[in-house]
Amino acid sequence: MSRQPLKIIGAGLAGVEAAWRLAQAGIAVEVLEMRPQVQTPAHRTGLLAELVCSNSFRAQSSESAVGLLKEEMAGLDSLVISSALAHQVPAGKALAVDRTAFAQEITERIGGHPLITLTRALVRSIPPASDQPLILAAGPLAGQGLAADLMELTGEQNLHFYDAIAPIVEADSVDLEVAFWASRYADPGEEADYLNCPMTEEEYKNFYKALMGADKVPLHSFEKIKYFEGCLPIEVMAERGEKTLSFGPLKPVGLVDPRTGQRPYAVVQLRKEDREGRYLNLVGFQTKLTHPAQEQVFRLIPGLGKAVFARLGSIHRNTFVRGPEVLTPDLSLKARPDVFLAGQISGVEGYVESAACGILAGEFVRQRVRSGAFSPPPLQTALGALLNHCTQAPAKRFQPSNINFSLFPALETRMPKKERPRAYLVRAREAFGTWVASLE
């Protein structure tokens, strides 16, 4: 066992998972977190694992790739998943949380663990090489000093892309004479978890025209915009064509406007941000519009004419490495084997994936400290598929990715499309069980 606590830089979703994995294995760790002394452009509090974008951890069903990933994380005593389930808010078939209660619980559990020391301090550079492993989980908003050191270690000249945050409105400011509660594809009698703002064709076209002409936050001339395809700003999606939104986040499929008895031309959905439903998130409305433009354009949405915005959208820098070029299969840097990367900085995308990467980094550091052996999860598991993407995908075509079944090895036999998710699940559970049983 190490004489000194192992250091983990960053206490976001990945950092707290790595710390929890090691501490629960009896290994002392020190977690260094710069907030609240130094804030990022996206964070608002000093709580650990603060969610800065959506409050959703996406689909719950284990027959979805992300649901399967959550199941495997729970099987490894995930702090994030257990806290999310404890503070779940209604969101249909998705796992969404009361973000404040969620972050408070994680902060308390990390701070109260006898083998975890939480130090509030800004780490300006990657520490010198050591015989003790170090986990860098600084997140997508890593400080300039850490990013510069990482760039020097990896040889990358461009380590950032841009991500965007959706607005939140006060629920009692939405006009319920217009908006209605319903969920897409809901079973009869199932509770409705989304507040829907229906649009006629004319209302949609007026909204689209205003969105296309709205002012956007200017970027510096030297900055390149590299959005993650799964989290495009609403206005960037709209640039692809007038009907893109009505076939995307504003699709009306599965919804009927009770005022007309007809399916609307388009629908904007709002999802609860907290257990009491006091705040609602505009689903799919991540944006880089200026704040005045957001208030003007988004109030054109039927039902939001007098909306009170508790938070407006914003844009922020995300930092990541091209994993297949710079990482070994255990998430350590080729240039610095003592430094492990965890979370979005390693090239995953999404809350669940970042937390899962933290668990993996913690587990691999545990393996190195305890035995020196390396035992990765099988490729057939969600964890294994995600790890393989970060470290073994074709480097030239690499981009951050959510977990999805295309990252998994092909099924051994051909079968109808509807049967494949279940087949992936059965195969993954068997492989995961065997792997967990083999761990020391």
Side-chain angles (χ1 to χ4, degrees), residues 214-236:
D215 293 333
K216 302 173 182 63
V217 176
L219 300 175
H220 297 293
S221 59
F222 59 83
E223 293 178 316
K224 288 185 178 181
I225 303 176
K226 299 196 297 180
Y227 296 115
F228 168 57
E229 185 69 21
C231 195
L232 291 173
I234 192 76
E235 64 276 4
V236 173

Side-chain angles (χ1 to χ4, degrees), residues 192-350:
D193 295 329
Y194 291 85
L195 186 58
N196 301 273
C197 298
M199 289 181 167
T200 64
E201 183 174 3
E202 181 180 1
E203 289 168 335
Y204 174 82
K205 289 183 175 180
N206 287 339
F207 167 78
Y208 177 81
K209 181 178 179 181
L211 180 64
M212 293 299 292
D215 293 333
K216 302 173 182 63
V217 176
L219 300 175
H220 297 293
S221 59
F222 59 83
E223 293 178 316
K224 288 185 178 181
I225 303 176
K226 299 196 297 180
Y227 296 115
F228 168 57
E229 185 69 21
C231 195
L232 291 173
I234 192 76
E235 64 276 4
V236 173
M237 282 189 280
E239 290 172 357
R240 296 180 174 181
E242 184 179 286
K243 293 186 177 181
T244 301
L245 298 181
S246 62
F247 282 89
L250 274 65
K251 64 181 182 292
V253 175
L255 297 168
V256 175
D257 186 344
R259 297 177 303 168
T260 65
Q262 302 293 322
R263 187 172 77 178
Y265 184 81
V267 170
V268 174
Q269 290 198 304
L270 287 74
R271 180 179 55 226
K272 290 180 181 179
E273 271 288 309
D274 58 294
R275 192 180 299 276
E276 294 77 20
R278 295 171 299 165
Y279 300 98
L280 302 170
N281 184 296
L282 274 68
V283 178
F285 270 67
Q286 50 273 4
T287 182
K288 64 186 182 75
L289 298 184
T290 64
H291 285 184
Q294 289 181 52
E295 297 205 38
Q296 180 181 0
V297 174
F298 296 157
R299 286 200 175 101
L300 294 176
I301 298 170
L304 300 187
K306 297 182 180 180
V308 176
F309 290 89
R311 181 189 74 185
L312 289 163
S314 64
I315 186 170
H316 56 275
R317 190 197 72 182
N318 280 347
T319 303
F320 74 101
V321 299
R322 298 183 190 279
E325 292 185 353
V326 304
L327 294 176
T328 66
D330 69 355
L331 294 174
S332 63
L333 288 172
K334 294 177 181 178
R336 278 281 302 273
D338 60 314
V339 176
F340 289 72
L341 298 193
Q344 279 190 260
I345 204 165
S346 66
V348 299
E349 177 59 34

Side-chain angles (χ1 to χ4, degrees), residues 65 385 401-410 424:
S401 178
N402 293 122
I403 188 68
N404 61 82
F405 285 130
S406 72
L407 302 183
F408 290 63
Y424 280 117

